[in-house]
Amino acid sequence: MCGIVGVVAERNSVPILMEGLRRLEYRGYDSAGIAVLERGRVARLRAVGKVKMLQDALDAAPISGSVGIAHTRWATHGVPTTNNAHPHVSRDGVAIVHNGIIENHEILRAELKGLGYAFTSETDTEVIAHRIHHHLAGAPDLLAAVRKTVAELQGAYALAVVSESDPNCVVVARQGCPVVIGLGIDENFVASDVAALLPVTRRFMFLEEGDVAEIRRNSIKVLDSAGGHVARAVRESDL
Ligand code: GLU
């Protein structure tokens, strides 16, 4: 398993996301990628190989935005190529990063193809992006669309999602893979482990299995697997 990072801030999220990825490199990975909301639109860059390759791509064609997600991939479905690297997007409006394995991806993929969604990767992950896009049409917000989507997934996942429909938040979900929320002042973060976020915060909220959370600059809303609002423990890191 590799790594995810997410940022909801006022300042540019890209340096924080990239430092987070560098701090997750020890987990092992074969490719890396980043997506931010740049003037309300998803802007994405991906690269095979080291985080350094992604940094070089960013230096050549910079993107910026105060809300974003990033990923180091350890391929399980589909070889390490740029097209298979995360984030995966659906119709340009939704971008997601995923750690883990979706066991029922084939059936979900067939259904989505029937609904007219075009696939650009061989990953199990891409179904999640299209599923969230599909559910956004009938859901009040991104949080609700992610909840509907994870209810359909079998397998293990840590997810972070951004959407042009709500450009001021990151939604995360966990089932079988770790996710921690980093609490800042007027900014909040998410990552696979606390080490990724130590340059920006020492306060962490630990999600439990089945939780889905909406992270904004000034609020964090956590729903458990039954859909009820819950408070999760906040702890100060002594690392
Ligand atoms: N199963 C996904 C893929 O192959 C995610 C792998 C991971 O955890 O990095 O893209």
Side-chain angles (χ1 to χ4, degrees):
M1 301 262 166
C2 39
I4 65 174
V5 191
V7 173
V8 187
E10 191 173 20
R11 55 179 161 159
N12 184 13
S13 65
V14 172
I16 307 169
L17 291 167
M18 293 302 293
E19 179 59 20
L21 290 189
R22 283 187 279 271
R23 287 169 166 262
L24 294 173
E25 284 192 289
Y26 75 91
R27 297 160 77 99
Y29 65 103
D30 51 57
S31 46
I34 183 169
V36 296
L37 288 158
E38 189 171 56
R39 290 182 292 279
R41 307 304 306 268
V42 171
R44 169 177 67 156
L45 271 180
R46 299 175 291 171
V48 176
K50 294 291 164 196
V51 171
K52 172 78 171 67
M53 311 299 282
L54 181 63
Q55 187 62 57
D56 290 347
L58 271 173
D59 292 343
I63 58 174
S64 71
S66 53
V67 174
I69 53 177
H71 188 257
T72 47
R73 175 176 189 237
W74 189 315
T76 65
H77 293 64
V79 292
T81 59
T82 309
N83 270 4
N84 285 337
H86 303 209
H88 288 287
V89 299
S90 181
R91 298 188 177 167
D92 295 335
V94 172
I96 80 149
V97 290
H98 163 228
N99 287 165
I101 291 173
I102 303 307
E103 282 155 13
N104 58 337
H105 69 100
E106 276 171 6
I107 189 160
L108 292 173
R109 180 182 283 245
E111 276 176 32
L112 286 160
K113 281 187 175 166
L115 291 167
Y117 284 92
F119 282 78
T120 61
S121 81
E122 304 154 332
T123 63
D124 51 338
T125 301
E126 190 177 355
V127 298
I128 310 173
H130 296 312
R131 224 49 218 179
I132 294 169
H133 182 278
H134 171 64
H135 283 312
L136 267 174
D141 54 23
L142 182 61
L143 180 66
V146 173
R147 280 205 73 242
K148 276 190 175 182
T149 300
V150 297
E152 301 167 338
L153 301 179
Q154 289 162 16
Y157 50 81
L159 299 179
V161 187
V162 293
S163 171
E164 292 176 8
S165 65
D166 190 348
N168 298 315
C169 75
V170 171
V171 171
V172 297
R174 75 161 284 192
Q175 181 68 52
C177 293
V179 174
V180 56
I181 298 175
L183 306 174
I185 297 166
D186 283 343
E187 55 187 11
N188 289 307
F189 314 92
V190 56
S192 303
D193 68 32
V194 299
L197 299 176
L198 289 177
V200 285
T201 188
R202 301 266 151 176
R203 288 180 69 227
F204 295 95
M205 180 188 287
F206 294 87
L207 293 183
E208 294 184 11
E209 292 289 274
D211 284 353
V212 181
E214 177 196 83
I215 299 162
R216 297 181 183 278
R217 271 179 57 205
N218 292 304
S219 68
I220 291 167
K221 191 193 285 183
V222 184
L223 303 180
D224 64 11
S225 54
H229 286 257
V230 284
R232 295 302 183 210
V234 173
R235 289 201 291 272
E236 203 77 33
S237 167
D238 49 16
L239 287 175

